[in-house]
Each structure stands twice: as C-alpha cells, then as structure tokens.
Amino acid sequence: MLKLKGSLKISGDKSISHRALILAALSLGKTKISNLLESDDVLRTLNILRDLGIKIKKNGEDWVVYGNGTCGFFQPDSALDCGNSGTTARLMIGAVSSNPIKCTFIGDESLQKRPMSRVTDHLKTIGAEVHLTNNDYLPLMITGTQNLLPNKHIIKTASAQIKSSLILSGLNIKGKTTIVETKSTRDHTERLLKFLNLKFKITKYKNGETSIELNGPYEIFSKDLKVASDPSSAAFFIVAALITPNSQIELKNILLNPLRIEFINVLKKMGGKIIVKKTKKMCGEDIGIIKVKHSNLKGITISSSLSPMIIDEYPILAIAATQAKGKTIMKGLGELRHKESDRIVSIVSNLKKLNFNVISKKDDIIIQNKNVKIKNKKIIKTFNDHRIAMSFLILSIIYENKILIDNSDCISISYPKFHDHLDKLLKKY
Ligand code: S3P
C-alpha cells in the first residue's frame, strides 16, 4: 500500500513565469528571474522573446533577461511557434501588437483548435491588422503599430489571458486604455506591474466588475523577479493526500493569490483537512505553506460563479469527487471546452471508462460516488492534455497503479518534475 508523506517545494507558477519573462523583456535593463518554471509552455514564451530580439541567458539556477522597453521588439525572421501554449499565444499577440512589426503565430494541433478572436477582435478595433485562419484560429498574422488607439475594452468571456493581452498591448499605447472585466480573473500581470512601480488605476465595483486604466506609453525599469510555486500543480498532491489513507504532507513556497487557491476552499467544503499559512510576500503576491491530511470527503455543489477561479483545477477536483460520499455537481464549465482538450469530454469519457457514475449535462458534470473496483489494467486517453494526465495518475495511486495513461510526455507542458516530486512524497507502508 502507498501513502503520501513529507515536505516538498513545488516548481514555479506557470502563469507568473510567462508574465515575468514578458515583463522583463518589456523593461529597460537587466532582470534576474528566480524559480522560473522550465516547462514546455514557458520555454515557448522564452524562445519567442528571443525570436523577437531579446537576449535571455541562463545563469546557474536563474534566468537573466536583457529588456529592451515596451517598444523594443525586432522583426522576427520566422513564424513564432507557441506549441501547445494558449497563454504564450494570447499574451504575446497583445505584446507585439503595439510594436511596428509583422508576426506570424503558429501552434500545435490542439492550439490550432483554440479561439484567438477573443483577443484579436479587441486589437482590431484599435488598429492592429490581423488575419486569422477561419476567422478565429492559428496560424494568424498580425501587423502591429506604435499608433494603436487608446480605447475602452469590455471583456465578456472571463479570461485572464484576454485581459493580460490587452494590458501588454496598452503599455505602448499613447493615451488612456481602459479594460473592464465583468468577473475577476487571475491578476498576476497587474500585481507584477505594481511591483515594477508602474502608475495605473484599478477600480473594483460592487457589481463585481473591475476596471483597469492605463496611461501609456510606459517606461518600465527592470527589477529582479522571484516566481512563487504553482498552486495549480500543488493541487494534484493536495488531492492525492486527501484521498489516500494515512497521508500527511506539507507543501512550501506556494502562491496564495486568492484568485488561484479557491479550489482549497472547495476541497475544505468537501471535508478536506487543509491548513494554509501565509509566510511572506514576494513580488506583490502572498506566499505560504499548505498542510494536508487524509480526509473523508463528501460531495457538494460547486457554483458556476467560481469557475474563473478554479478553471484549471476541475480535472483534479473531479478525481476528488469520485472518492467523496454522495453527489458532486460542478456547474458552468463551458470554458473547459476551450482548454488543451475539451476537458468536459476528457474527464467524463475517462471516468466512464473506469466505471464511475458520471454524467455531463450541457456544461455541468455530475459525479455520484460509487465503490469502484479496478481488477485489470485500464488505459486512460489523455488527449495530450497535461492536467488530464496528472489527474488520472493521482487516481491511480489508490487503485495500486492499475490506471495507466496513453501519453505521459504531455506532463512536461506544465510540470516536468511531476514524477520526481510524486516519487519523493510516495511511501510504502
Ligand atoms: C491563464 C489563464 C487561464 C488558465 C490558463 C492560464 C493565464 O486561461 O486556464 O491555464 O496564465 O492567464 P483563460 O484566460 O483562458 O481562462
């Protein structure tokens, strides 16, 4: 039998790693970045910045970026390859749009199916010239200009990628750019810009809207950046410890941004014994320790209003739900259809294959606890989706490794050290 025991430092946060690299490139001067996540997705952003003329070097464990200012990109020689990374594509499209260069963005098979017009429609209204494949997809061509217009953008789909893309574009727009989001999404770009001493205004309204007012063009002066550990990666081990008898773990240096750790409140509501302790501030973010013990979970209803805050955690929450007493209803998951795979399909089809009691109804997933026994080995289809792969490997722990996955290479998209870290925590008893 296996249990999880011990203490671990998780790898750097993916969202902050992308942003740290991009903002360092847009700053003037040299930025040292520590604890950068060296995953496939983040390396896509890093290599695209190099293609745009930014010098980036590794120095021991750290990375050094020689920033060239908010209008400092050079014309690239070839297409910018975003691989599997939606964050790279959407953020970099915004970042290049206010520079006078012509860029072609390409991506892998999965990324070519993910919508880009949610970003480019905004950029077109302010003067960027964009040609998309089938009006919505990569490959796309964008011709940027230093004369983009200041404007007010109202974002209808809750998405930090759209918001961040427009912020990055607005940094080199002369005049007032206003970005309004109707639901709060992760705010790392705003926090990093504040840490870099940028002057801009954020207003939160009673109806839940947030408005961000930029007054560009900006000069950003470089400052060394540290990346906290990724709570979305921690989520796999948190759920593993909750569902595996006799487990008790401690995860250190975790990013405790409230827009990222809502899944912990969900798991606590399900009966999870989790203690969160803030220890310090780092680059404008709260950091701390998370302690987790094996718990008897119960099913709950997860409201759609939480979805922007737990968007990446649904696959692993579904795994927790399979072990919770009663029924778990996860509501309003429409955005999951636009992730690395259609995650409603990937979660439901694989759980059904394992004989769990699960259904999807429009954009909801309902999981009813059932005492499933797995006698023979079963192979899960990951759809090349890193979070699906890791989620089912966690479920495999309590089924004595009878659940296998068809492809574990995709895990390096967000968490190359996943297997090493899991091995460190797993103990025989
Ligand atoms: C991210 C935002 C989210 C999230 C993704 C990372 C970011 O996507 O799912 O993994 O770093 O801004 P959306 O903005 O599409 O919701």
Side-chain angles (χ1 to χ4, degrees):
M1 295 277 266
L2 290 169
K3 66 177 177 183
L4 287 90
K5 202 114 216 155
S7 173
L8 185 77
K9 183 181 167 196
I10 307 274
S11 304
D13 185 70
K14 182 156 83 74
S15 292
I16 296 185
S17 293
H18 285 291
R19 288 158 171 84
L21 284 168
I22 300 171
L23 291 176
L26 298 178
S27 300
L28 290 165
K30 191 168 121 183
T31 302
K32 184 176 91 182
I33 307 177
S34 329
N35 202 35
L36 186 84
L37 172 69
E38 294 175 15
S39 77
D40 295 353
D41 269 13
V42 174
L43 294 177
R44 291 286 177 186
T45 294
L46 190 150
N47 285 321
I48 286 180
L49 291 169
R50 282 180 168 159
D51 292 343
L52 291 163
I54 304 297
K55 189 168 123 191
I56 306 176
K57 288 202 306 204
K58 180 118 199 228
N59 186 3
E61 295 286 293
D62 303 326
W63 288 86
V64 182
V65 180
Y66 296 81
N68 213 15
T70 54
C71 193
F73 291 142
F74 290 93
Q75 174 62 44
D77 297 331
S78 50
L80 305 175
D81 191 352
C82 305
N84 189 253
S85 177
T87 310
T88 304
R90 301 205 177 101
L91 267 55
M92 286 310 303
I93 289 168
V96 300
S97 68
S98 48
N99 277 232
I101 52 175
K102 217 179 212 176
C103 300
T104 301
F105 284 88
I106 58 174
D108 72 5
E109 214 181 302
S110 145
L111 191 58
Q112 283 177 41
K113 292 191 194 125
R114 298 176 65 188
M116 295 294 147
S117 63
R118 49 177 61 194
V119 167
T120 57
D121 280 353
H122 289 280
L123 298 174
K124 277 184 187 173
T125 62
I126 55 174
E129 196 187 308
V130 190
H131 298 281
L132 297 135
T133 301
N134 294 331
N135 295 318
D136 206 5
Y137 304 103
L138 298 185
L140 74 75
M141 252 167 22
I142 176 162
T143 309
T145 158
Q146 254 175 292
N147 301 315
L148 288 186
L149 299 169
N151 199 5
K152 181 172 180 173
H153 302 274
I154 298 174
I155 303 177
K156 295 199 188 91
T157 310
S159 160
Q161 293 178 356
I162 306 177
K163 172 180 65 176
S164 300
S165 184
L166 295 174
I167 294 176
L168 293 172
S169 146
L171 293 176
N172 192 39
I173 295 175
K174 191 160 184 269
K176 190 162 96 180
T177 294
T178 308
I179 300 155
V180 179
E181 59 175 359
T182 44
K183 280 186 188 165
S184 297
T185 62
R186 62 190 71 189
D187 57 358
H188 311 304
T189 313
E190 299 90 303
R191 285 177 187 257
L192 278 172
L193 286 173
K194 284 215 169 128
F195 176 73
L196 290 166
N197 300 317
L198 226 74
K199 300 272 172 288
F200 64 104
K201 200 166 134 194
I202 301 181
T203 315
K204 291 199 178 293
Y205 296 98
K206 277 199 186 124
N207 64 0
E209 283 186 1
T210 305
S211 120
I212 300 160
E213 221 176 272
L214 301 168
N215 236 308
Y218 287 97
E219 273 193 333
I220 310 171
F221 297 99
S222 58
K223 225 167 133 182
D224 289 348
L225 301 173
K226 285 185 182 152
V227 182
S229 296
D230 196 323
S232 303
S233 296
F236 298 107
F237 302 132
I238 293 174
V239 169
L242 289 175
I243 64 175
T244 311
N246 297 307
S247 296
Q248 186 164 0
I249 59 167
E250 180 186 274
L251 305 173
K252 293 181 289 194
N253 194 51
I254 306 288
L255 171 75
L256 299 181
N257 182 311
L259 296 163
R260 292 291 302 284
I261 58 164
E262 185 58 33
F263 73 93
I264 292 179
N265 293 333
V266 170
L267 288 168
K268 277 185 176 170
K269 259 199 195 149
M270 293 174 79
K273 292 177 193 149
I274 308 174
I275 297 170
V276 178
K277 202 173 137 210
K278 280 186 196 166
T279 51
K280 59 178 171 190
K281 266 245 178 291
M282 209 161 86
C283 298
E285 301 273 8
D286 286 329
I287 313 296
I289 296 173
I290 299 181
K291 294 183 182 181
V292 193
K293 262 189 194 170
H294 169 253
S295 311
N296 295 318
L297 299 180
K298 60 176 193 296
I300 59 166
T301 296
I302 306 173
S303 148
S304 62
S305 63
L306 298 183
S307 90
M309 292 184 279
I310 56 174
I311 193 72
D312 290 339
E313 283 73 61
Y314 284 117
I316 192 64
L317 286 174
I319 298 301
T322 65
Q323 305 306 308
K325 200 171 168 209
K327 194 193 269 184
T328 299
I329 308 176
M330 306 198 278
K331 289 179 158 245
L333 313 186
E335 267 299 298
L336 287 196
R337 302 213 182 268
H338 306 296
K339 294 295 169 191
E340 287 81 333
S341 67
D342 177 337
R343 285 189 179 151
I344 297 189
V345 171
S346 342
I347 293 170
V348 172
S349 62
N350 281 314
L351 286 179
K352 274 192 177 151
K353 191 173 193 178
L354 297 175
N355 211 18
F356 285 100
N357 191 345
V358 54
I359 52 164
S360 62
K361 247 193 200 169
K362 286 192 179 155
D363 288 340
D364 300 346
I365 296 181
I366 303 160
I367 299 170
Q368 174 84 50
N369 173 255
K370 181 179 168 189
N371 190 11
V372 167
K373 300 235 166 2
I374 301 176
K375 283 193 196 121
N376 303 315
K377 290 195 168 162
K378 293 250 167 82
I379 301 175
I380 291 304
K381 198 170 166 191
T382 58
F383 299 90
N384 225 355
D385 183 332
H386 53 128
R387 297 200 200 277
I388 298 297
M390 289 185 277
S391 297
F392 281 91
L393 286 179
I394 293 302
L395 186 61
S396 190
I397 299 170
I398 52 174
Y399 288 100
E400 289 164 342
N401 295 326
K402 291 231 173 62
I403 304 170
L404 308 174
I405 57 171
D406 66 353
N407 162 18
S408 61
D409 291 349
C410 59
I411 290 174
S412 61
I413 285 168
S414 66
Y415 199 177
K417 291 195 174 151
F418 174 78
H419 277 114
D420 285 359
H421 286 178
L422 183 57
D423 287 348
K424 263 190 194 154
L425 290 175
L426 280 179
K427 307 271 153 49
K428 279 199 179 130
Y429 75 101

